Amino acid sequence: MKALPIVAAVLGIGVMLALVGYFGAGAVVRSLLAVGGIGFAAICAIHIALMVVMGFAWRVLMPSARSWVAIWGRLVRDSGSEVLPLSQVGGYVLGARALALAGVTGTVAKASTIVDITFEFVAQVGYTALGLVLLLQLQPGSAVATPVIIGLAVAVAAAVAFLIVQRHGFDYFERIARILGRGWAERSAAGAAALHAALREIYRRPMALWLCFGLHLACWIASATEAWLVLRLAGEPLPFSAVLVLESMLYAVRTSAFVVPNAVGVQEGAYILLGATFGLSPEMALALSLLKRARDLAIGLPTIGVWQALEGGRLWRRRNTAEINRVPVASPD
């Protein structure tokens, strides 16, 4: 299973390169250059601002945590998902780990990650629903609408299931563990009980949950600004409503392809197919996708470098402490 994301990433890179070669690398490069360095910097700045807001959305679930800790955890989470050869789940683990290293207890880090991911997903469902409504207004007979409606219904059912499990699912686990008896089940029950208690504590504050959802929904909608700006700078402008439809459909596809690291290859193909619905050329669609990947690298690589340095320093200090403790103390004569 660990090799699956790597294999999927290799195949995805092959698809991406094949698409660029098929539609013409020169045309794609010209579209990239049309955006320019200032445009690329603006896109990165918008994305960082959105990540800060999403960090605040995570922070409201942890009253005792400092804001910079949640923002840092969000940077690590997204960087792990977008830069490293990991599935999206791997990025979630790194984000929770970053919180724990910054002083948040492991149980709270895990519980808040679960709830934040859930409400971000619920907000994405709302974002996709908004995109679907706009799609039906702009193109009533679009062939894309039917599969989107089906996918949206599945996503709503999944979101409801996630919420039910988080509110009530651990009760059943605890009962099963007690029936099985002592040993591993007892230890598992203790860990599950602590996590369940942390989840319950978060769900006791509905205002925090609504704020988390609202901030994530606002970020999803605002994220379309990046693609809208790229297309304007490249000379293929689309109305913001059309860009919002394009982006909402794209991220719905990306979510369904979560096993592929950064949806490499999947994102490019989706941009080409969805962009054609609004008259976007394949070359520009590929350029838009590659710009987003360049943005992820520009933000993600420094973040992962800092995170790795912090992890390395922590391990080095732990090893030195262990060696000092192993040094025998000479007894006085």
Side-chain angles (χ1 to χ4, degrees):
M1 291 298 291
K2 292 182 179 180
L4 181 59
I6 297 176
V7 173
V10 171
L11 293 175
I13 291 172
V15 171
M16 180 175 66
L17 295 176
L19 289 172
V20 172
Y22 180 80
F23 290 106
V28 174
V29 170
R30 284 192 294 273
S31 297
L32 287 170
L33 294 177
V35 177
I38 296 178
F40 179 68
I43 295 164
C44 291
I46 293 171
H47 196 69
I48 291 173
L50 292 174
M51 294 176 78
V52 169
V53 176
M54 288 186 286
F56 278 114
W58 197 358
R59 158 67 178 77
V60 300
L61 303 176
M62 302 177 289
S64 60
R66 288 167 288 183
S67 296
W68 72 265
V69 172
I71 294 170
W72 169 244
R74 182 69 201 207
L75 282 167
V76 173
R77 181 204 291 183
D78 285 6
S79 298
S81 297
E82 306 295 349
V83 174
L84 298 178
L86 302 169
S87 67
Q88 204 166 10
V89 176
Y92 299 155
V93 173
L94 293 185
R97 173 72 174 169
L99 288 187
L101 289 179
V104 178
T105 64
T107 302
V108 172
K110 293 174 187 176
S112 64
T113 298
I114 292 170
V115 178
D116 186 57
I117 292 168
T118 301
F119 278 83
E120 184 175 6
F121 177 64
V122 173
Q124 184 186 349
V125 172
Y127 180 49
T128 304
L130 176 61
L132 177 62
V133 171
L134 291 174
L135 175 64
L136 293 175
Q137 290 179 348
L138 297 173
Q139 298 182 2
S142 175
V144 178
T146 300
V148 171
I149 292 173
I150 296 173
L152 189 61
V154 173
V156 169
V160 172
F162 292 160
L163 291 170
I164 291 174
V165 168
Q166 288 172 37
R167 295 299 301 273
H168 307 290
F170 283 100
D171 290 333
Y172 298 105
F173 180 83
E174 292 170 14
R175 293 174 189 173
I176 293 172
R178 284 195 295 269
I179 293 172
L180 290 175
R182 300 181 179 277
W184 71 268
E186 191 173 62
R187 292 191 295 271
S188 299
L195 181 60
H196 192 197
L199 287 170
R200 279 183 169 172
E201 184 62 30
I202 293 174
Y203 276 102
R204 285 195 186 103
R205 295 181 288 111
M207 290 301 297
L209 298 174
W210 279 109
L211 182 56
C212 178
F213 166 78
L215 289 173
H216 278 305
L217 181 59
C219 286
W220 277 117
I221 295 172
S223 67
T225 306
E226 295 181 45
W228 176 83
L229 179 60
V230 168
L231 295 176
R232 285 188 67 84
L233 293 174
E236 291 195 35
L238 287 177
F240 185 79
S241 57
V243 176
L244 193 148
V245 172
L246 175 62
E247 291 292 295
S248 64
M249 300 298 110
L250 169 76
Y251 280 100
V253 173
R254 278 181 57 110
T255 300
S256 64
F258 66 92
V259 72
V260 182
N262 201 10
V264 63
V266 177
Q267 176 173 293
E268 284 69 28
Y271 259 131
I272 292 173
L273 294 175
L274 295 170
T277 307
F278 296 98
L280 196 65
S281 67
E283 297 83 4
M284 188 63 246
L286 286 170
L288 176 57
S289 180
L290 293 177
L291 273 170
K292 284 192 171 186
R293 298 203 182 282
R295 173 208 67 194
D296 293 338
L297 291 173
I299 298 172
L301 287 177
T303 300
I304 291 298
V306 173
W307 173 78
Q308 189 60 47
L310 293 173
E311 280 276 10
R314 178 177 175 276
L315 291 174
W316 182 80
R317 289 190 298 271
R318 176 183 290 181
R319 184 172 60 183
N320 282 350
T321 301
E323 290 177 355
I324 291 173
N325 291 335
R326 282 200 300 267
V327 174
V329 178
S331 58
D333 294 334

